[in-house]
Amino acid sequence: NLQQQVFFLEQKLRALQDYHSSAERAQATKPRDLQAIRDERVRELETRHEELREEALRATFREKTTHAEKVKAVEQLSLARDQFATQRQELTAEVVNLQRELEHSYLREKTVHAELQQLLQQYDSLKSFNEGADTKVKELESQIEEQGATIALSQTREESLRKQVGAE
């Protein structure tokens, strides 16, 4: 690209030289004037050539600097990609571990829920038994009281019969 620019500038310079040379020849009538014009044109061309050369050197320097910056940027990009890949692997591993933990938590929750349901059934069963037992205990207590009363009555009767038998 830079070489093309230099090439085009040199062509432009030649065209200008040809144009000015033909124009100067048409205007110049004396050989001395022609020599002075040529010398001036040569100086102008040498100055322009020096300017173009300096511009080409600056362009070459910019190109080298740009290339160095590009290399540095590529290295930084490569480093960033490597860091990204490493972090991505770490995050992927962390996600996998978290998914495992979540699955274990769901399993524990299901197990605890099943145990809770079983304990609730046992509680309901014991509660029903307990309610029935209270009623049964009350029935048995009343039967005991009745039998106690019957025994007390029987003992009283027995004593009275013994007294009768002993009196006879």
Side-chain angles (χ1 to χ4, degrees), residues 4-160:
Q4 288 176 345
Q5 289 177 353
V6 171
F7 176 75
F8 289 129
L9 288 173
E10 286 176 350
Q11 282 187 339
K12 186 176 178 181
L13 181 63
R14 284 187 202 121
L16 286 174
Q17 286 174 346
D18 292 342
Y19 173 77
H20 286 296
S21 295
S22 62
E24 288 172 356
R25 271 187 256 135
Q27 291 177 359
T29 55
K30 297 182 184 175
R32 229 164 80 185
D33 288 340
L34 277 177
Q35 186 61 36
I37 292 173
R38 266 192 200 149
D39 290 343
E40 183 180 333
R41 284 302 296 152
V42 167
R43 282 191 298 274
E44 287 176 5
L45 291 174
E46 287 174 349
T47 304
R48 181 66 182 147
H49 181 1
E50 187 62 30
E51 290 172 358
L52 289 174
R53 190 171 116 354
E54 288 175 6
E55 186 177 325
L57 288 173
R58 283 191 298 271
T60 303
F61 177 74
R62 281 193 308 265
E63 182 180 349
K64 288 181 180 179
T65 305
T66 305
H67 179 69
E69 290 173 356
K70 177 186 172 188
V71 168
K72 185 178 178 181
V74 167
E75 289 173 357
Q76 289 175 347
L77 177 63
S78 177
L79 178 64
R81 283 183 178 163
D82 291 344
Q83 289 174 346
F84 171 76
T86 302
Q87 289 175 351
R88 184 177 185 184
Q89 287 175 347
E90 291 172 357
L91 289 174
T92 301
E94 185 176 344
V95 166
V96 168
N97 288 333
L98 289 174
Q99 285 176 338
R100 282 187 198 138
E101 288 179 21
L102 183 61
E103 289 172 3
H104 290 300
S105 295
Y106 284 145
L107 181 60
R108 277 182 277 175
E109 178 191 4
K110 286 180 180 181
T111 304
V112 167
H113 184 69
E115 290 174 358
L116 176 64
Q117 290 301 319
Q118 185 180 12
L119 289 172
L120 285 174
Q121 288 175 352
Q122 288 176 354
Y123 172 76
D124 289 341
S125 172
L126 289 172
K127 185 177 175 184
S128 297
F129 174 77
N130 190 27
E131 288 174 359
D134 285 343
T135 307
K136 188 72 172 172
V137 166
K138 287 180 184 178
E139 286 177 12
L140 289 174
E141 284 176 348
S142 82
Q143 284 179 4
I144 290 172
E145 285 178 15
E146 286 176 16
Q147 286 181 359
T150 306
I151 290 174
L153 184 61
S154 294
Q155 285 177 346
T156 313
R157 202 171 193 202
E158 182 184 334
E159 282 179 28
S160 79

